[in-house]
């Protein structure tokens, strides 16, 4: 478990620090409408991970394991609930920033966008994964 968790860095370069409220990312070369489709629920969410109440280290470990399982199952679209930080000591969304950075480090993550309000809004992110070698 520790080896898996160590594959994702906690270091966040200044230029990648959270500057706005909404999380959004696409790999270079993807069609411009991928984010719009993610935001509008174009893909069916096939699984989800809830990181509420976890420490940073626990969240990183669970995220790595979850994404690896999704890859093995051939899932393309998943939701990750990171929370809004309302329960954290300074009421800041610590995991939101971490999840963004961790997802950007994964080659199997093509894009992600903040969830629609009905799907968790600012407390969750919808992730589009590369098609894997999971069950057909």
């Amino acid at each position: 478990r520790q080896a898996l968790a160590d594959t994702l860095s906690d270091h966040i370069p200044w230029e990648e620090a959270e500057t706005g409220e909404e999380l959004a990312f696409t790999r270079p070369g993807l069609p411009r409408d991928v984010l719009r489709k993610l935001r509008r629920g174009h893909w069916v969410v096939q699984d989800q991970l809830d990181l509420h109440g976890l420490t940073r280290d626990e969240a990183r470990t669970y995220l790595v394991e979850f994404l690896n399982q999704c890859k093995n199952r051939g899932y393309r679209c998943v939701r990750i609930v990171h929370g809004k930080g309302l329960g954290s000591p300074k009421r800041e969304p610590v995991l939101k920033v971490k999840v963004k950075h961790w997802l950007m480090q994964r080659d199997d993550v093509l894009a992600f966008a903040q969830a629609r309000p009905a799907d968790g809004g600012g407390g969750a992110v919808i992730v589009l994964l590369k098609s894997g070698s999971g069950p057909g």
Side-chain angles (χ1 to χ4, degrees):
R1 271 188 185 221
Q2 190 58 42
L4 286 175
D6 287 342
T7 63
L8 296 180
S9 168
D10 257 348
H11 174 71
I12 301 174
W14 177 253
E15 64 272 9
E16 290 182 15
E18 182 69 17
T19 54
E21 281 296 309
E22 184 175 338
L23 295 185
F25 168 79
T26 55
R27 293 262 171 232
L30 286 179
R32 300 181 90 185
D33 65 341
V34 167
L35 274 182
R36 180 178 50 80
K37 287 180 176 181
L38 269 177
R39 287 183 181 116
R40 292 183 179 177
H42 177 80
W43 288 279
V44 173
V45 173
Q46 296 170 290
D47 203 351
Q48 77 171 8
L49 174 66
D50 190 342
L51 301 174
H52 274 113
L54 299 179
T55 67
R56 177 179 53 230
D57 291 336
E58 290 169 337
R60 179 176 44 217
T61 299
Y62 279 103
L63 180 67
V64 168
E65 291 175 357
F66 174 73
L67 292 175
N68 289 339
Q69 288 173 3
C70 289
K71 183 178 177 180
N72 291 337
R73 294 176 180 152
Y75 293 167
R76 293 293 315 277
C77 185
V78 297
R79 176 177 38 240
I80 298 172
V81 180
H82 48 69
K84 297 180 181 179
L86 301 179
S88 65
K90 295 182 182 178
R91 298 180 64 84
E92 294 177 1
V94 174
L95 288 182
K96 179 178 182 175
V97 177
K98 295 294 184 186
V99 165
K100 172 186 175 181
H101 187 64
W102 294 334
L103 290 174
M104 290 172 66
Q105 294 178 58
R106 297 273 308 206
D107 288 336
D108 53 347
V109 173
L110 295 176
F112 57 83
Q114 179 174 301
R116 296 179 296 175
D119 295 325
V125 63
I126 306 297
V127 182
L128 182 64
L129 301 169
K130 284 183 182 177
S131 49
S133 57

